[in-house]
Amino acid sequence: MKDHQLFSILIPSWNNLEFLKLCVSSIRKNSKFNHEILIHVNDGSDGTLEWVKSEGLKYTHSAENVGVCFALNGLRPLATTDYILFMNDDMYVCPGWDEALFDEIKNIGHKMFFLSSTLIQPRPFFCKSVIAPADFGQSVESFDEERLLREYKSLQHYDWKGSTWPPNVVHRDVWDLVGGYSIEYSPGMYSDPDFSAKLWKAGVRLFKGVDRSRVYHFEARSTHRVVKNDGSTQFLRKWGITSGSFIRDILQRGEPWDSDRDMSDKLKKDLLRSKLKKALTIFRDVRIKNIWED
């Protein structure tokens, strides 16, 4: 199983070396298949660049943080497998994570899919797709790896609808069809639902979270270090619907995979609200522009 590379795993990393080491170690240790690991090193002044080179990993490098969208798109030309998988550097994959995804891919039998692993997170979380709170440590130092490996299978959950965030996997042809991640969202706020919206526009209808593919997410957020883009407004103006309505009414993220809720009436109402919100954002920006010019 280890001789053929199955997934090209794209990992952007910004001076987060200890988490990155743990992430790569877990991929090597807990995967059934061999995978191509590709790292984009943002800055790398903490020793990340030297470590990536010493490990013989394929990589790209930018002198400063260019954000997740540029990082992922820059790594794409290095990928040589059929499947592009996006993973954060503060994630630890549990045994069988890759086999579960590949079993699902084989059962689907076509390229028009978007699959996510099921996250396990230490703190309470708003979305039902995530197993939380389930605290096995919030830092590399406090990580209880032994207990996670003992208990991760017993955490109750289910296959779910609405794949958006990583770890996620698409066929390379579908990635290329939609042009990867949209750089106008740099440094990356709301680039996840935008990628899902592009896939939807391209005809993908299978957005599934796979319960048996489990990944621990430390939630070591780096977003407090960047100037955030106004992703919610960008998404609304681009797609004519709020990201919340798209995720709730169309993708139905977090709902059990076998559920059958009719969201058509809710979608109609939310589309009307979205039109009003879009108009208000334009009015807001014009008003601000006029104030500055005065």
Side-chain angles (χ1 to χ4, degrees):
M1 294 294 183
K2 289 284 188 177
D3 56 343
H4 173 71
Q5 291 183 326
L6 180 62
F7 297 151
S8 294
I9 302 176
L10 280 50
I11 307 176
S13 189
W14 183 23
N15 292 343
N16 214 16
L17 180 55
E18 295 310 310
F19 279 110
L20 178 63
K21 287 180 178 179
L22 183 61
C23 177
V24 171
S25 173
S26 74
I27 294 169
R28 289 170 169 170
K29 180 169 62 174
N30 294 333
S31 298
K32 180 172 182 178
F33 302 98
N34 188 30
H35 302 295
E36 181 178 50
I37 302 174
L38 311 172
I39 312 294
H40 177 78
V41 181
N42 282 303
D43 182 0
S45 58
D46 66 338
T48 297
L49 184 59
E50 290 74 17
W51 180 81
V52 167
K53 290 178 179 178
S54 71
E55 291 295 306
L57 297 169
K58 292 183 179 180
Y59 71 92
T60 53
H61 174 236
S62 56
E64 57 187 29
N65 177 39
V66 295
V68 66
C69 304
F70 277 108
L72 292 171
N73 292 350
L75 287 171
R76 167 63 185 95
L78 303 184
T80 63
T81 76
D82 285 340
Y83 302 104
I84 308 296
L85 189 141
F86 166 28
M87 184 178 294
N88 287 337
D89 63 1
D90 64 336
M91 292 177 169
Y92 176 100
V93 300
C94 297
W97 75 282
D98 56 336
E99 183 179 18
L101 289 175
F102 192 48
D103 284 347
E104 195 70 38
I105 290 170
K106 289 185 291 185
N107 288 334
I108 291 168
H110 58 76
K111 299 177 182 179
M112 301 298 283
F113 62 82
F114 191 38
L115 302 179
S116 276
S117 299
T118 295
L119 293 178
I120 303 167
Q121 294 187 171
R123 296 186 284 271
F125 196 68
F126 69 93
C127 183
K128 295 182 292 184
S129 69
V130 175
I131 301 172
D135 193 352
F136 295 91
Q138 299 184 32
S139 67
V140 173
E141 294 74 21
S142 65
F143 180 43
D144 194 340
E145 182 179 15
E146 183 179 338
R147 186 166 66 87
L148 175 66
L149 293 176
R150 209 170 49 238
E151 298 178 9
Y152 77 95
K153 284 185 178 180
S154 64
L155 301 172
Q156 296 299 306
H157 206 59
Y158 48 81
D159 289 340
W160 45 276
K161 296 180 180 181
S163 178
T164 55
W165 42 51
N168 55 47
V169 60
V170 293
H171 194 279
R172 65 179 182 182
D173 292 345
V174 177
W175 173 287
D176 293 341
L177 176 65
V178 302
Y181 279 67
S182 299
I183 60 173
E184 67 265 26
Y185 285 85
S186 294
M189 308 302 120
Y190 289 78
S191 59
D192 290 332
D194 177 77
F195 187 69
S196 293
K198 293 203 296 184
L199 294 176
W200 183 274
K201 188 73 171 179
V204 174
R205 293 296 180 269
L206 203 162
F207 295 79
K208 185 175 184 179
V210 180
D211 180 35
R212 289 195 303 117
S213 178
R214 296 195 170 185
V215 175
Y216 190 69
H217 183 209
F218 287 93
E219 300 180 273
R221 300 183 182 92
S222 60
T223 54
H224 66 279
R225 292 188 271 162
V226 302
V227 177
K228 298 180 179 66
N229 57 296
D230 185 4
S232 61
T233 298
Q234 290 174 285
F235 188 97
L236 174 59
R237 291 180 178 175
K238 181 175 181 178
W239 298 108
I241 187 173
T242 65
S243 60
S245 296
F246 173 71
I247 289 168
R248 180 180 58 251
D249 302 340
I250 296 177
L251 297 185
Q252 299 182 40
R253 189 175 66 194
E255 294 298 321
W257 180 251
D258 56 1
S259 64
D260 187 22
R261 294 180 59 193
D262 183 2
M263 300 295 289
S264 56
D265 289 341
K266 186 75 169 63
L267 177 59
K268 290 177 183 177
K269 293 178 182 178
D270 282 346
L271 282 171
L272 289 174
R273 292 192 186 97
S274 294
K275 288 182 180 179
L276 176 60
K277 288 183 179 180
K278 182 178 179 180
L280 289 173
T281 66
I282 296 171
F283 174 77
R284 178 200 66 194
D285 287 357
V286 169
R287 185 169 180 271
I288 292 173
K289 180 175 182 292
N290 289 338
I291 289 173
W292 277 104
E293 288 178 348
D294 290 345

